[in-house]
Amino acid sequence: TQKNERELYPIGKMPRSESGRAFLCGAVIIMFMIPIIVTFFSDMQFDGKLDWFGYVAGALTLIYLTFALPMWFKSPNPVIFVPCDFLAAAIYLLYIDLSTGGGWFLSFALPVTVGVGVVVCALVTLLRYLHRGRLFVVGGGAIALGALVLMVELLMCSTFGLKFIGWSIYPLISLALIGGLLIYLAISSTAREKIESKIFF
């Protein structure tokens, strides 16, 4: 009679224990806290005040938010976490700018962070929720990243008074060609099938 009883959970769908993930996340927090505590007391001992501790703590916090924080969730949504990562990066760059008196955050770091963040977040969102036309998305993203490289060089020249050399033109052309090829393959199924047959025999 026991063989005829219906199982509570389908085969391979048994609920997983949360203790293992919680233990791992706790261990990761301890691993991040150790260098933060060590650098805090080291900075206080040698200088009598906090000078470079903020850079270390900020970098470790940024790394934790980017790679370790999603581990706390069963199914972390990159559409939510990726924009938060770029926001944290912008805050960290602002802290460095204010601490060093650089004056380059508004004219350089912020536009670059926002530009890269918008492109990456758009790619992540479209690739996650679109089931068709992904070649269009990746191709357009490659072209957009090429344009961002050109923007970075222009902002460097205007912010730091550098001479425009034009090194950004080469990655711009390369990424534009790659993006154009991907878009062409997305349009032409015949060309896509021929390339797939050459690559995968």
Side-chain angles (χ1 to χ4, degrees):
T1 58
Q2 294 181 353
K3 293 182 179 180
N4 296 328
E5 292 181 357
R6 185 178 180 181
E7 295 184 358
L8 295 177
Y9 302 97
I11 299 176
K13 299 294 184 180
M14 294 292 291
R16 297 181 179 179
S17 175
E18 300 294 329
S19 58
R21 185 171 67 242
F23 176 79
L24 178 61
C25 294
V28 171
I29 291 178
I30 295 175
M31 291 175 59
F32 274 90
M33 289 302 299
I34 290 175
I36 290 178
I37 295 173
V38 170
T39 53
F40 174 82
F41 287 105
S42 298
D43 196 10
M44 288 294 296
Q45 179 179 1
F46 289 106
D47 299 331
K49 59 180 181 178
L50 296 178
D51 290 329
W52 47 269
F53 165 75
Y55 305 127
V56 178
L60 290 173
T61 302
L62 183 59
I63 294 173
Y64 178 82
L65 293 175
T66 304
F67 299 103
L69 183 60
M71 295 170 56
W72 285 95
F73 300 86
K74 292 182 179 180
S75 301
N77 191 347
V79 177
I80 298 176
F81 280 99
V82 172
C84 294
D85 295 337
F86 278 98
L87 177 61
I91 295 174
Y92 181 52
L93 291 172
L94 176 60
Y95 168 76
I96 295 176
D97 180 55
L98 295 177
S99 300
T100 58
W104 40 261
F105 178 77
L106 292 177
S107 59
F108 179 72
L110 182 61
V112 172
T113 305
V114 171
V116 177
V118 168
V119 173
V120 173
C121 291
L123 284 173
V124 170
T125 303
L126 292 175
L127 290 176
R128 181 174 178 84
Y129 294 110
L130 287 183
H131 300 288
R132 301 182 62 182
R134 292 187 174 183
L135 284 177
F136 286 106
V137 175
V138 177
I143 297 174
L145 289 176
L148 283 175
V149 176
L150 177 61
M151 183 191 74
V152 169
E153 184 177 8
L154 294 175
L155 290 175
M156 289 176 60
C157 295
S158 61
T159 302
F160 304 106
L162 303 177
K163 183 180 179 180
F164 182 80
I165 301 176
W167 57 264
S168 59
I169 296 177
Y170 300 101
L172 171 61
I173 295 176
S174 301
L175 290 171
L177 291 175
I178 294 174
L181 175 61
L182 293 175
I183 293 175
Y184 171 72
L185 293 177
I187 297 174
S188 175
S189 59
T190 304
R192 184 171 65 252
E193 292 173 357
K194 288 183 178 180
I195 291 182
E196 289 177 350
S197 63
K198 294 292 183 181
I199 296 177
F200 301 104
F201 305 101

